[in-house]
Amino acid sequence: MENKRARGTGRGKRSRGGGAREPQPPAPEPRRESEGRPRPREAHGAGGRMRPLLCCLGIAALLGRSLACPSACSCSAKKNGRLLAECAYKELLEVPRGLSPNVSILTLSANRIGWLRRGAFAEVPEVQSLWLGYNQIGTVEPGAFALLAQLKNLDLSHNKIMDFPWQDLRNLSGLQILKMNNNRLAGLPRDAFHALKDLRSLWLNDNQLTTLAEGTFDKLPSLSQLQIFNNPFNCSCKVFWLKRWTESTSVSITKGGATLCMAPGRLKGRAVTDIPEHHCVAPSVQLTYLSNLDNSVTYDGLTLTLHCSVAGSPPPEIRWKIKTSTRGVEINGPTVARDGNASLSGRAKQSQERFLVFKNGTMAIPKFSKEDEGIYTCLAVNDVGMREVSVNVALAGSENPAEDLLQDDPQASHLGGQSCYKGDEMDPSGAGEKLVIVYHVPRESKSKAAGAVPWVRLGTLLLALGIALSW
């Protein structure tokens, strides 16, 4: 009690010491602030209470499109704002619709999708990884993947694909991994992958590939892994290039199985790299001019004859390319049958009737004229490669062919006036393009010459100025 009184007395003394000042009540401003907080909400009424709700609905509307997800899929956002759409193991029969356009990873593995229509992935143009393995895809329409310019990983493994729109890959220049293993592919175009400069891993194993065209894996500077095992390769000379390529490339090839031959029987079960080299020899070719100096070609005019000799294993096919000032002709086989009759018909006969090609590699051009001047090329082609040799044939007429030639081409003097006669082979060591000047000696000159042969005979002279062999 004494302490209380003392404290009370003390307060009284401090008050009395201050004169007439009374203790002041607490300031009213804090009360007004706290008591006034609800008043704005009361002033706005229901509209004030709806504003936060409307704001949330607006945000949801903005995000709705980017968060779109089909009911069969599970979608989740990544840190970079992209979406992962997980649609695997859902028994889907087709690519689901309603996907968000900013999906970067789309997983459709282990479904029952049987075909991919044109524009099947038009809703996800920014997808970077697309997994379609373990479906039943047998049909892929052209344009199914053409719009996916940002695609880096494409898995089509373990499906039933026999034909594929390879042209779609031309737009996928950023593709790094392509898995097409365990399908039914029986062939590939030579340029199927040439647009894929960033491709690092290519899986083609467990298909029905029997051969691969030379150059299939050219223009793939980033390729480091290639799987082609478990294919029924026919180890003819058509895949001999693959043996040489696998022996020299730094690309990792063998993994999970060996690249074995299924045929021919003598090589069955052996590795492609074991194809005997002596069975496959690149072609060689020689072109010979056959003159008729000692034979008569009478009223029919001059006949130019060229003979193409080839060698290689398997035996090369002989083809001809002719380019004159008025036309270009390609002849891929004999135009004269064994009985001597022309084997061409229709338009082909009209364009090639000037050139008689025989199975033994001989080509004859009856009534050779100025219109037939040009470049004559013989090509030898087999499964290992191709070789060609060309000759430029020109026609002239003079009593002194050598003198006439020197006027036309001063380089002729370098040969010292040498000439090739019937059956002479063109020197493959020569440089430049072989030029053959064929001289049709006029009838008047022949009849005036002392001791000359009858005027009905024609003379020819072959002068070699160089040769071009493409090896």
Side-chain angles (χ1 to χ4, degrees), residues 108-119:
L108 290 165
S109 304
N111 282 290
R112 298 172 60 191
I113 299 173
W115 67 293
L116 298 175
R117 58 180 175 82
R118 179 182 180 88

Side-chain angles (χ1 to χ4, degrees), residues 376-408:
Y376 290 74
T377 302
C378 174
L379 300 91
V381 182
N382 69 4
D383 292 339
V384 185
M386 184 271 290
R387 298 291 185 273
E388 67 178 45
V389 58
S390 299
V391 61
N392 192 346
V393 181
L395 180 66
S398 172
E399 295 185 40
N400 190 343
E403 180 180 334
D404 198 14
L405 176 61
L406 292 178
Q407 293 175 358
D408 293 338

Side-chain angles (χ1 to χ4, degrees), residues 178-193:
L178 177 58
K179 301 182 71 174
M180 302 191 74
N181 53 289
N182 295 88
N183 276 284
R184 300 176 182 178
L185 297 173
L188 301 172
R190 184 192 306 270
D191 60 348
F193 311 114

Side-chain angles (χ1 to χ4, degrees), residues 194-261:
H194 284 185
L196 307 180
K197 306 301 182 183
D198 294 335
L199 190 65
R200 296 185 288 105
S201 181
L202 176 59
W203 296 59
L204 296 170
N205 55 283
D206 293 277
N207 276 284
Q208 299 298 317
L209 300 173
T210 59
T211 187
L212 292 170
E214 184 172 4
T216 299
F217 307 121
D218 291 351
K219 301 182 181 180
L220 296 176
S222 303
L223 189 65
S224 60
Q225 183 184 34
L226 173 65
Q227 308 302 335
I228 55 175
F229 58 86
N230 289 347
N231 278 290
F233 284 113
N234 183 342
C235 292
S236 67
C237 293
K238 289 183 178 180
V239 296
F240 184 70
W241 72 271
L242 187 59
K243 164 187 168 72
R244 294 178 299 185
W245 185 79
T246 55
E247 292 172 346
S248 61
T249 186
S250 60
V251 177
S252 175
I253 298 176
T254 302
K255 183 178 180 180
T259 306
L260 303 178
C261 302

Side-chain angles (χ1 to χ4, degrees), residues 20 69 76 82 86 91 115 118 125 129 158 212 229 246-247 255 267 279 281 299 332 341-342 351 391 401 470:
C69 188
S76 58
R82 301 293 182 180
E86 177 63 59
E91 298 291 319
W115 67 293
R118 179 182 180 88
S129 297
H158 297 273
L212 292 170
F229 58 86
T246 55
E247 292 172 346
K255 183 178 180 180
L267 295 177
H279 287 178
V281 180
Y299 58 88
N332 294 328
N341 296 322
S351 63
V391 61
S470 299

